[in-house]
Amino acid sequence: MALFLKPVFQERIWGGSALTQFNYDIPNDLTGECWAISALPHGSNEIENGPHQGKTLEQVWEEDKALFGNDKRNKFPLLTKILDANDKLSVQVHPDDAYAQAHGEGYGKTECWYILDAKEDAEIIYGVNTDNQEELERMIDNKAFDALFHKVKVKPGDFFYVPAGTVHAIGSGIMILETQQSSDTTYRIYDYDRKDKNGNTRELHLEQSKAVIDVKQTNPNTTPKHETRNGQAYTQFVSNTFFTVEKWDIEGELTFEKPYEYCLVSVIEGSGEVIIDGETNHIEKGTHFIITSEDLDITFKGDMSLIVSHP
Ligand code: ZN
């Protein structure tokens, strides 16, 4: 039986109210993040169905590893979020696994973004305009941020792979679905001197940032692979040691071959049904679930687009 998940919402100073387009009951109009598939202790989803109903994904991961192919990892490895950037996010960088573990911060964070929606001329920051470490540090010390940050225009349907060490920021007017290593370790480089509702600026982490920024990382370096599989449009955006992320555009019926012991599924457009071992579940834009090791016979019916990921 698949695990259907109840989203967890997070208020952010850059958030908005656009997550209502997923029919979510958001807490307020500064809702920045929907944690859609999360086992992080401070925001793990509740299971909505089946024998584990009412437990968190974090608990189920601990108690019932058979659902996850007896995955040997200590923690649930992935995190899926939807972000509504009504205003721009801080410019940040994440450490890799080696740096995070050496500094007691669990996993590093490599992430990737599927652009769900973007205003005309919306842009992100991706990488830096220097390939020299000393110049990087000098520019950070001199707060020469406008010259330092490399900007890229985005449109709906674009995909960006953001390895640990890449300077990045989502610009205003962008909604993304983010798949990432399950980590919340962020080093903030620049926050536009913004103050929150209590008049406080958010902490910056310039020394850690200098230590982890990879100046060579300036290009969103994946080439999506498009093909027709089992009669439906399939796209693989990225596949590496951290995660595989793919998209299905289904019109009609798809006999779904599980790509891995378990996989994370988000419906990003349309609606229909998923029939799992004879049991029919209605799904629609904004539904998130995990197909587990125990789920064997899986069929999707309807008109919809899915983002599917697995470690
Ligand atoms: Zn990030």
Side-chain angles (χ1 to χ4, degrees), residues 93-111 161-166 181 183 185-187 208-209 211-214 242:
V93 64
H94 307 295
D96 62 13
D97 285 339
Y99 187 94
Q101 272 148 26
H103 294 79
E105 314 223 57
Y107 288 126
K109 185 155 133 181
T110 282
E111 61 190 51
Y161 176 56
V162 188
T166 310
Q181 287 180 276
S183 161
T185 308
T186 295
Y187 301 139
Q208 292 100 319
S209 296
V212 306
I213 289 172
D214 177 2
F242 303 109

PDB file of all heavy atoms in Angstrom, residues 93-111 161-166 181 183 185-187 208-209 211-214 242:
ATOM      1  N   VAL A  93      24.313  28.721  -0.110  1.00  0.00           N
ATOM      2  CA  VAL A  93      25.078  27.577  -0.600  1.00  0.00           C
ATOM      3  C   VAL A  93      24.943  26.474   0.451  1.00  0.00           C
ATOM      4  O   VAL A  93      24.730  26.766   1.633  1.00  0.00           O
ATOM      5  CB  VAL A  93      26.559  27.987  -0.849  1.00  0.00           C
ATOM      6  CG1 VAL A  93      27.249  28.394   0.449  1.00  0.00           C
ATOM      7  CG2 VAL A  93      27.338  26.892  -1.566  1.00  0.00           C
ATOM      8  N   HIS A  94      25.026  25.227   0.010  1.00  0.00           N
ATOM      9  CA  HIS A  94      24.956  24.098   0.946  1.00  0.00           C
ATOM     10  C   HIS A  94      26.259  23.305   0.895  1.00  0.00           C
ATOM     11  O   HIS A  94      26.887  23.205  -0.156  1.00  0.00           O
ATOM     12  CB  HIS A  94      23.808  23.159   0.577  1.00  0.00           C
ATOM     13  CG  HIS A  94      22.497  23.855   0.437  1.00  0.00           C
ATOM     14  ND1 HIS A  94      21.850  24.460   1.477  1.00  0.00           N
ATOM     15  CD2 HIS A  94      21.716  24.059  -0.649  1.00  0.00           C
ATOM     16  CE1 HIS A  94      20.721  25.004   1.038  1.00  0.00           C
ATOM     17  NE2 HIS A  94      20.621  24.774  -0.248  1.00  0.00           N
ATOM     18  N   PRO A  95      26.639  22.707   2.031  1.00  0.00           N
ATOM     19  CA  PRO A  95      27.847  21.878   2.053  1.00  0.00           C
ATOM     20  C   PRO A  95      27.601  20.521   1.391  1.00  0.00           C
ATOM     21  O   PRO A  95      26.457  20.116   1.218  1.00  0.00           O
ATOM     22  CB  PRO A  95      28.108  21.695   3.552  1.00  0.00           C
ATOM     23  CG  PRO A  95      26.750  21.784   4.183  1.00  0.00           C
ATOM     24  CD  PRO A  95      25.969  22.755   3.340  1.00  0.00           C
ATOM     25  N   ASP A  96      28.686  19.833   1.061  1.00  0.00           N
ATOM     26  CA  ASP A  96      28.540  18.451   0.601  1.00  0.00           C
ATOM     27  C   ASP A  96      28.536  17.519   1.819  1.00  0.00           C
ATOM     28  O   ASP A  96      28.674  17.969   2.968  1.00  0.00           O
ATOM     29  CB  ASP A  96      29.632  18.093  -0.421  1.00  0.00           C
ATOM     30  CG  ASP A  96      31.037  18.165   0.152  1.00  0.00           C
ATOM     31  OD1 ASP A  96      31.206  18.250   1.393  1.00  0.00           O
ATOM     32  OD2 ASP A  96      31.990  18.136  -0.650  1.00  0.00           O
ATOM     33  N   ASP A  97      28.364  16.208   1.568  1.00  0.00           N
ATOM     34  CA  ASP A  97      28.269  15.250   2.676  1.00  0.00           C
ATOM     35  C   ASP A  97      29.508  15.291   3.574  1.00  0.00           C
ATOM     36  O   ASP A  97      29.399  15.264   4.793  1.00  0.00           O
ATOM     37  CB  ASP A  97      28.084  13.830   2.131  1.00  0.00           C
ATOM     38  CG  ASP A  97      26.666  13.599   1.607  1.00  0.00           C
ATOM     39  OD1 ASP A  97      25.750  14.347   2.007  1.00  0.00           O
ATOM     40  OD2 ASP A  97      26.481  12.667   0.801  1.00  0.00           O
ATOM     41  N   ALA A  98      30.696  15.361   2.955  1.00  0.00           N
ATOM     42  CA  ALA A  98      31.940  15.300   3.732  1.00  0.00           C
ATOM     43  C   ALA A  98      32.031  16.488   4.688  1.00  0.00           C
ATOM     44  O   ALA A  98      32.309  16.321   5.884  1.00  0.00           O
ATOM     45  CB  ALA A  98      33.146  15.274   2.787  1.00  0.00           C
ATOM     46  N   TYR A  99      31.746  17.691   4.178  1.00  0.00           N
ATOM     47  CA  TYR A  99      31.824  18.889   5.024  1.00  0.00           C
ATOM     48  C   TYR A  99      30.733  18.861   6.101  1.00  0.00           C
ATOM     49  O   TYR A  99      30.982  19.161   7.269  1.00  0.00           O
ATOM     50  CB  TYR A  99      31.697  20.152   4.158  1.00  0.00           C
ATOM     51  CG  TYR A  99      31.944  21.440   4.923  1.00  0.00           C
ATOM     52  CD1 TYR A  99      33.206  22.029   4.950  1.00  0.00           C
ATOM     53  CD2 TYR A  99      30.904  22.062   5.626  1.00  0.00           C
ATOM     54  CE1 TYR A  99      33.436  23.195   5.661  1.00  0.00           C
ATOM     55  CE2 TYR A  99      31.129  23.236   6.339  1.00  0.00           C
ATOM     56  CZ  TYR A  99      32.396  23.805   6.357  1.00  0.00           C
ATOM     57  OH  TYR A  99      32.616  24.955   7.070  1.00  0.00           O
ATOM     58  N   ALA A 100      29.513  18.465   5.703  1.00  0.00           N
ATOM     59  CA  ALA A 100      28.400  18.435   6.666  1.00  0.00           C
ATOM     60  C   ALA A 100      28.701  17.459   7.799  1.00  0.00           C
ATOM     61  O   ALA A 100      28.519  17.780   8.979  1.00  0.00           O
ATOM     62  CB  ALA A 100      27.103  18.051   5.956  1.00  0.00           C
ATOM     63  N   GLN A 101      29.210  16.269   7.454  1.00  0.00           N
ATOM     64  CA  GLN A 101      29.483  15.273   8.492  1.00  0.00           C
ATOM     65  C   GLN A 101      30.626  15.724   9.395  1.00  0.00           C
ATOM     66  O   GLN A 101      30.568  15.559  10.608  1.00  0.00           O
ATOM     67  CB  GLN A 101      29.763  13.908   7.855  1.00  0.00           C
ATOM     68  CG  GLN A 101      28.445  13.149   7.659  1.00  0.00           C
ATOM     69  CD  GLN A 101      28.449  12.233   6.437  1.00  0.00           C
ATOM     70  OE1 GLN A 101      29.500  11.769   5.994  1.00  0.00           O
ATOM     71  NE2 GLN A 101      27.272  11.977   5.894  1.00  0.00           N
ATOM     72  N   ALA A 102      31.653  16.333   8.809  1.00  0.00           N
ATOM     73  CA  ALA A 102      32.784  16.820   9.611  1.00  0.00           C
ATOM     74  C   ALA A 102      32.359  17.929  10.567  1.00  0.00           C
ATOM     75  O   ALA A 102      33.014  18.178  11.575  1.00  0.00           O
ATOM     76  CB  ALA A 102      33.899  17.317   8.691  1.00  0.00           C
ATOM     77  N   HIS A 103      31.241  18.607  10.268  1.00  0.00           N
ATOM     78  CA  HIS A 103      30.770  19.703  11.113  1.00  0.00           C
ATOM     79  C   HIS A 103      29.467  19.361  11.826  1.00  0.00           C
ATOM     80  O   HIS A 103      28.726  20.245  12.260  1.00  0.00           O
ATOM     81  CB  HIS A 103      30.638  20.989  10.278  1.00  0.00           C
ATOM     82  CG  HIS A 103      31.965  21.480   9.785  1.00  0.00           C
ATOM     83  ND1 HIS A 103      32.597  20.929   8.691  1.00  0.00           N
ATOM     84  CD2 HIS A 103      32.802  22.447  10.259  1.00  0.00           C
ATOM     85  CE1 HIS A 103      33.769  21.533   8.516  1.00  0.00           C
ATOM     86  NE2 HIS A 103      33.912  22.462   9.444  1.00  0.00           N
ATOM     87  N   GLY A 104      29.177  18.060  11.925  1.00  0.00           N
ATOM     88  CA  GLY A 104      28.041  17.594  12.721  1.00  0.00           C
ATOM     89  C   GLY A 104      26.684  17.998  12.186  1.00  0.00           C
ATOM     90  O   GLY A 104      25.732  18.199  12.940  1.00  0.00           O
ATOM     91  N   GLU A 105      26.543  18.110  10.848  1.00  0.00           N
ATOM     92  CA  GLU A 105      25.278  18.584  10.287  1.00  0.00           C
ATOM     93  C   GLU A 105      24.572  17.534   9.428  1.00  0.00           C
ATOM     94  O   GLU A 105      23.791  17.887   8.566  1.00  0.00           O
ATOM     95  CB  GLU A 105      25.519  19.855   9.460  1.00  0.00           C
ATOM     96  CG  GLU A 105      26.412  20.851  10.185  1.00  0.00           C
ATOM     97  CD  GLU A 105      25.933  22.264  10.071  1.00  0.00           C
ATOM     98  OE1 GLU A 105      24.788  22.524  10.460  1.00  0.00           O
ATOM     99  OE2 GLU A 105      26.708  23.112   9.596  1.00  0.00           O
ATOM    100  N   GLY A 106      24.856  16.244   9.650  1.00  0.00           N
ATOM    101  CA  GLY A 106      24.137  15.195   8.923  1.00  0.00           C
ATOM    102  C   GLY A 106      24.515  15.144   7.456  1.00  0.00           C
ATOM    103  O   GLY A 106      25.698  15.214   7.114  1.00  0.00           O
ATOM    104  N   TYR A 107      23.502  15.049   6.603  1.00  0.00           N
ATOM    105  CA  TYR A 107      23.760  15.011   5.170  1.00  0.00           C
ATOM    106  C   TYR A 107      24.146  16.394   4.663  1.00  0.00           C
ATOM    107  O   TYR A 107      23.735  17.415   5.212  1.00  0.00           O
ATOM    108  CB  TYR A 107      22.482  14.616   4.398  1.00  0.00           C
ATOM    109  CG  TYR A 107      22.057  13.175   4.521  1.00  0.00           C
ATOM    110  CD1 TYR A 107      20.769  12.857   4.938  1.00  0.00           C
ATOM    111  CD2 TYR A 107      22.918  12.130   4.171  1.00  0.00           C
ATOM    112  CE1 TYR A 107      20.347  11.529   5.031  1.00  0.00           C
ATOM    113  CE2 TYR A 107      22.499  10.809   4.255  1.00  0.00           C
ATOM    114  CZ  TYR A 107      21.217  10.510   4.686  1.00  0.00           C
ATOM    115  OH  TYR A 107      20.806   9.221   4.769  1.00  0.00           O
ATOM    116  N   GLY A 108      24.905  16.411   3.582  1.00  0.00           N
ATOM    117  CA  GLY A 108      25.064  17.633   2.796  1.00  0.00           C
ATOM    118  C   GLY A 108      23.779  17.851   2.016  1.00  0.00           C
ATOM    119  O   GLY A 108      22.774  17.180   2.225  1.00  0.00           O
ATOM    120  N   LYS A 109      23.820  18.822   1.107  1.00  0.00           N
ATOM    121  CA  LYS A 109      22.596  19.061   0.359  1.00  0.00           C
ATOM    122  C   LYS A 109      22.891  19.375  -1.095  1.00  0.00           C
ATOM    123  O   LYS A 109      23.383  20.445  -1.428  1.00  0.00           O
ATOM    124  CB  LYS A 109      21.797  20.190   1.007  1.00  0.00           C
ATOM    125  CG  LYS A 109      20.448  20.421   0.370  1.00  0.00           C
ATOM    126  CD  LYS A 109      19.505  21.057   1.384  1.00  0.00           C
ATOM    127  CE  LYS A 109      18.752  22.221   0.826  1.00  0.00           C
ATOM    128  NZ  LYS A 109      17.860  22.850   1.783  1.00  0.00           N
ATOM    129  N   THR A 110      22.607  18.387  -1.909  1.00  0.00           N
ATOM    130  CA  THR A 110      22.535  18.594  -3.348  1.00  0.00           C
ATOM    131  C   THR A 110      21.061  18.623  -3.671  1.00  0.00           C
ATOM    132  O   THR A 110      20.283  17.821  -3.132  1.00  0.00           O
ATOM    133  CB  THR A 110      23.290  17.470  -4.084  1.00  0.00           C
ATOM    134  OG1 THR A 110      24.691  17.741  -4.008  1.00  0.00           O
ATOM    135  CG2 THR A 110      22.893  17.366  -5.543  1.00  0.00           C
ATOM    136  N   GLU A 111      20.635  19.560  -4.494  1.00  0.00           N
ATOM    137  CA  GLU A 111      19.214  19.707  -4.774  1.00  0.00           C
ATOM    138  C   GLU A 111      18.987  19.919  -6.260  1.00  0.00           C
ATOM    139  O   GLU A 111      19.946  20.110  -7.027  1.00  0.00           O
ATOM    140  CB  GLU A 111      18.631  20.877  -3.965  1.00  0.00           C
ATOM    141  CG  GLU A 111      19.267  22.226  -4.276  1.00  0.00           C
ATOM    142  CD  GLU A 111      18.828  23.316  -3.294  1.00  0.00           C
ATOM    143  OE1 GLU A 111      18.906  23.101  -2.074  1.00  0.00           O
ATOM    144  OE2 GLU A 111      18.415  24.393  -3.761  1.00  0.00           O
ATOM    145  N   TYR A 161      19.907  21.506 -11.950  1.00  0.00           N
ATOM    146  CA  TYR A 161      20.604  20.645 -10.997  1.00  0.00           C
ATOM    147  C   TYR A 161      21.546  21.526 -10.191  1.00  0.00           C
ATOM    148  O   TYR A 161      22.341  22.274 -10.767  1.00  0.00           O
ATOM    149  CB  TYR A 161      21.375  19.566 -11.760  1.00  0.00           C
ATOM    150  CG  TYR A 161      22.211  18.672 -10.892  1.00  0.00           C
ATOM    151  CD1 TYR A 161      21.628  17.966  -9.836  1.00  0.00           C
ATOM    152  CD2 TYR A 161      23.583  18.531 -11.108  1.00  0.00           C
ATOM    153  CE1 TYR A 161      22.392  17.140  -9.026  1.00  0.00           C
ATOM    154  CE2 TYR A 161      24.354  17.698 -10.310  1.00  0.00           C
ATOM    155  CZ  TYR A 161      23.757  17.011  -9.267  1.00  0.00           C
ATOM    156  OH  TYR A 161      24.513  16.200  -8.467  1.00  0.00           O
ATOM    157  N   VAL A 162      21.427  21.470  -8.869  1.00  0.00           N
ATOM    158  CA  VAL A 162      22.165  22.383  -7.992  1.00  0.00           C
ATOM    159  C   VAL A 162      23.022  21.553  -7.031  1.00  0.00           C
ATOM    160  O   VAL A 162      22.601  21.281  -5.895  1.00  0.00           O
ATOM    161  CB  VAL A 162      21.197  23.292  -7.201  1.00  0.00           C
ATOM    162  CG1 VAL A 162      21.962  24.373  -6.444  1.00  0.00           C
ATOM    163  CG2 VAL A 162      20.147  23.925  -8.115  1.00  0.00           C
ATOM    164  N   PRO A 163      24.215  21.130  -7.468  1.00  0.00           N
ATOM    165  CA  PRO A 163      25.043  20.333  -6.563  1.00  0.00           C
ATOM    166  C   PRO A 163      25.499  21.146  -5.361  1.00  0.00           C
ATOM    167  O   PRO A 163      25.581  22.381  -5.435  1.00  0.00           O
ATOM    168  CB  PRO A 163      26.250  19.923  -7.420  1.00  0.00           C
ATOM    169  CG  PRO A 163      26.084  20.530  -8.752  1.00  0.00           C
ATOM    170  CD  PRO A 163      24.854  21.376  -8.768  1.00  0.00           C
ATOM    171  N   ALA A 164      25.795  20.453  -4.250  1.00  0.00           N
ATOM    172  CA  ALA A 164      26.384  21.109  -3.081  1.00  0.00           C
ATOM    173  C   ALA A 164      27.540  21.976  -3.550  1.00  0.00           C
ATOM    174  O   ALA A 164      28.276  21.602  -4.462  1.00  0.00           O
ATOM    175  CB  ALA A 164      26.871  20.057  -2.093  1.00  0.00           C
ATOM    176  N   GLY A 165      27.679  23.161  -2.945  1.00  0.00           N
ATOM    177  CA  GLY A 165      28.772  24.054  -3.322  1.00  0.00           C
ATOM    178  C   GLY A 165      28.385  25.100  -4.358  1.00  0.00           C
ATOM    179  O   GLY A 165      29.141  26.037  -4.602  1.00  0.00           O
ATOM    180  N   THR A 166      27.204  24.950  -4.964  1.00  0.00           N
ATOM    181  CA  THR A 166      26.745  25.915  -5.971  1.00  0.00           C
ATOM    182  C   THR A 166      26.030  27.079  -5.281  1.00  0.00           C
ATOM    183  O   THR A 166      25.056  26.857  -4.550  1.00  0.00           O
ATOM    184  CB  THR A 166      25.733  25.262  -6.934  1.00  0.00           C
ATOM    185  OG1 THR A 166      26.272  24.045  -7.428  1.00  0.00           O
ATOM    186  CG2 THR A 166      25.398  26.190  -8.095  1.00  0.00           C
ATOM    187  N   GLN A 181      18.571  16.180  -1.192  1.00  0.00           N
ATOM    188  CA  GLN A 181      18.984  15.333  -0.085  1.00  0.00           C
ATOM    189  C   GLN A 181      18.268  15.837   1.169  1.00  0.00           C
ATOM    190  O   GLN A 181      18.064  17.040   1.321  1.00  0.00           O
ATOM    191  CB  GLN A 181      20.495  15.439   0.137  1.00  0.00           C
ATOM    192  CG  GLN A 181      21.343  14.749  -0.905  1.00  0.00           C
ATOM    193  CD  GLN A 181      22.826  14.925  -0.568  1.00  0.00           C
ATOM    194  OE1 GLN A 181      23.434  15.933  -0.911  1.00  0.00           O
ATOM    195  NE2 GLN A 181      23.402  13.947   0.104  1.00  0.00           N
ATOM    196  N   SER A 183      18.117  17.300   4.102  1.00  0.00           N
ATOM    197  CA  SER A 183      19.013  18.093   4.932  1.00  0.00           C
ATOM    198  C   SER A 183      18.436  19.494   5.013  1.00  0.00           C
ATOM    199  O   SER A 183      17.709  19.924   4.126  1.00  0.00           O
ATOM    200  CB  SER A 183      20.394  18.150   4.270  1.00  0.00           C
ATOM    201  OG  SER A 183      21.156  19.225   4.776  1.00  0.00           O
ATOM    202  N   THR A 185      20.647  22.091   6.024  1.00  0.00           N
ATOM    203  CA  THR A 185      21.849  22.866   6.312  1.00  0.00           C
ATOM    204  C   THR A 185      22.108  23.880   5.208  1.00  0.00           C
ATOM    205  O   THR A 185      22.438  23.516   4.086  1.00  0.00           O
ATOM    206  CB  THR A 185      23.072  21.936   6.456  1.00  0.00           C
ATOM    207  OG1 THR A 185      22.737  20.922   7.399  1.00  0.00           O
ATOM    208  CG2 THR A 185      24.274  22.704   6.933  1.00  0.00           C
ATOM    209  N   THR A 186      21.920  25.153   5.563  1.00  0.00           N
ATOM    210  CA  THR A 186      22.039  26.233   4.591  1.00  0.00           C
ATOM    211  C   THR A 186      23.014  27.280   5.108  1.00  0.00           C
ATOM    212  O   THR A 186      22.941  27.674   6.272  1.00  0.00           O
ATOM    213  CB  THR A 186      20.657  26.890   4.389  1.00  0.00           C
ATOM    214  OG1 THR A 186      19.787  25.933   3.795  1.00  0.00           O
ATOM    215  CG2 THR A 186      20.746  28.120   3.506  1.00  0.00           C
ATOM    216  N   TYR A 187      23.939  27.695   4.270  1.00  0.00           N
ATOM    217  CA  TYR A 187      24.809  28.824   4.596  1.00  0.00           C
ATOM    218  C   TYR A 187      24.362  30.008   3.748  1.00  0.00           C
ATOM    219  O   TYR A 187      24.373  29.962   2.523  1.00  0.00           O
ATOM    220  CB  TYR A 187      26.275  28.477   4.330  1.00  0.00           C
ATOM    221  CG  TYR A 187      26.743  27.279   5.130  1.00  0.00           C
ATOM    222  CD1 TYR A 187      27.557  26.308   4.558  1.00  0.00           C
ATOM    223  CD2 TYR A 187      26.357  27.108   6.461  1.00  0.00           C
ATOM    224  CE1 TYR A 187      27.977  25.204   5.284  1.00  0.00           C
ATOM    225  CE2 TYR A 187      26.761  26.015   7.195  1.00  0.00           C
ATOM    226  CZ  TYR A 187      27.577  25.059   6.600  1.00  0.00           C
ATOM    227  OH  TYR A 187      27.980  23.967   7.317  1.00  0.00           O
ATOM    228  N   GLN A 208      31.664  29.932   6.507  1.00  0.00           N
ATOM    229  CA  GLN A 208      31.301  28.596   6.016  1.00  0.00           C
ATOM    230  C   GLN A 208      31.077  28.633   4.506  1.00  0.00           C
ATOM    231  O   GLN A 208      31.462  27.708   3.798  1.00  0.00           O
ATOM    232  CB  GLN A 208      30.013  28.093   6.688  1.00  0.00           C
ATOM    233  CG  GLN A 208      30.151  27.783   8.168  1.00  0.00           C
ATOM    234  CD  GLN A 208      29.611  28.892   9.024  1.00  0.00           C
ATOM    235  OE1 GLN A 208      29.817  30.079   8.721  1.00  0.00           O
ATOM    236  NE2 GLN A 208      28.923  28.541  10.091  1.00  0.00           N
ATOM    237  N   SER A 209      30.461  29.726   4.026  1.00  0.00           N
ATOM    238  CA  SER A 209      30.191  29.823   2.591  1.00  0.00           C
ATOM    239  C   SER A 209      31.488  29.800   1.796  1.00  0.00           C
ATOM    240  O   SER A 209      31.622  29.068   0.816  1.00  0.00           O
ATOM    241  CB  SER A 209      29.424  31.105   2.271  1.00  0.00           C
ATOM    242  OG  SER A 209      28.156  31.074   2.888  1.00  0.00           O
ATOM    243  N   ALA A 211      34.177  28.473   2.580  1.00  0.00           N
ATOM    244  CA  ALA A 211      34.783  27.135   2.652  1.00  0.00           C
ATOM    245  C   ALA A 211      34.119  26.137   1.709  1.00  0.00           C
ATOM    246  O   ALA A 211      34.769  25.196   1.254  1.00  0.00           O
ATOM    247  CB  ALA A 211      34.713  26.615   4.093  1.00  0.00           C
ATOM    248  N   VAL A 212      32.835  26.317   1.434  1.00  0.00           N
ATOM    249  CA  VAL A 212      32.143  25.268   0.664  1.00  0.00           C
ATOM    250  C   VAL A 212      31.797  25.656  -0.782  1.00  0.00           C
ATOM    251  O   VAL A 212      31.455  24.788  -1.582  1.00  0.00           O
ATOM    252  CB  VAL A 212      30.853  24.761   1.374  1.00  0.00           C
ATOM    253  CG1 VAL A 212      31.171  24.307   2.795  1.00  0.00           C
ATOM    254  CG2 VAL A 212      29.747  25.793   1.357  1.00  0.00           C
ATOM    255  N   ILE A 213      31.899  26.958  -1.133  1.00  0.00           N
ATOM    256  CA  ILE A 213      31.519  27.350  -2.502  1.00  0.00           C
ATOM    257  C   ILE A 213      32.473  26.721  -3.517  1.00  0.00           C
ATOM    258  O   ILE A 213      33.694  26.759  -3.355  1.00  0.00           O
ATOM    259  CB  ILE A 213      31.538  28.890  -2.666  1.00  0.00           C
ATOM    260  CG1 ILE A 213      30.382  29.523  -1.897  1.00  0.00           C
ATOM    261  CG2 ILE A 213      31.440  29.276  -4.159  1.00  0.00           C
ATOM    262  CD1 ILE A 213      30.426  31.044  -1.843  1.00  0.00           C
ATOM    263  N   ASP A 214      31.893  26.144  -4.548  1.00  0.00           N
ATOM    264  CA  ASP A 214      32.660  25.592  -5.666  1.00  0.00           C
ATOM    265  C   ASP A 214      32.600  26.604  -6.811  1.00  0.00           C
ATOM    266  O   ASP A 214      31.569  26.746  -7.460  1.00  0.00           O
ATOM    267  CB  ASP A 214      32.035  24.251  -6.074  1.00  0.00           C
ATOM    268  CG  ASP A 214      32.727  23.643  -7.278  1.00  0.00           C
ATOM    269  OD1 ASP A 214      33.714  24.240  -7.763  1.00  0.00           O
ATOM    270  OD2 ASP A 214      32.267  22.583  -7.739  1.00  0.00           O
ATOM    271  N   PHE A 242      23.014  10.807  -5.776  1.00  0.00           N
ATOM    272  CA  PHE A 242      22.117  11.418  -4.801  1.00  0.00           C
ATOM    273  C   PHE A 242      20.660  11.070  -5.074  1.00  0.00           C
ATOM    274  O   PHE A 242      19.901  10.751  -4.165  1.00  0.00           O
ATOM    275  CB  PHE A 242      22.275  12.940  -4.799  1.00  0.00           C
ATOM    276  CG  PHE A 242      23.679  13.372  -4.516  1.00  0.00           C
ATOM    277  CD1 PHE A 242      24.465  13.919  -5.511  1.00  0.00           C
ATOM    278  CD2 PHE A 242      24.211  13.197  -3.251  1.00  0.00           C
ATOM    279  CE1 PHE A 242      25.765  14.302  -5.253  1.00  0.00           C
ATOM    280  CE2 PHE A 242      25.520  13.574  -2.980  1.00  0.00           C
ATOM    281  CZ  PHE A 242      26.307  14.131  -3.988  1.00  0.00           C
TER     282      PHE A 242
END
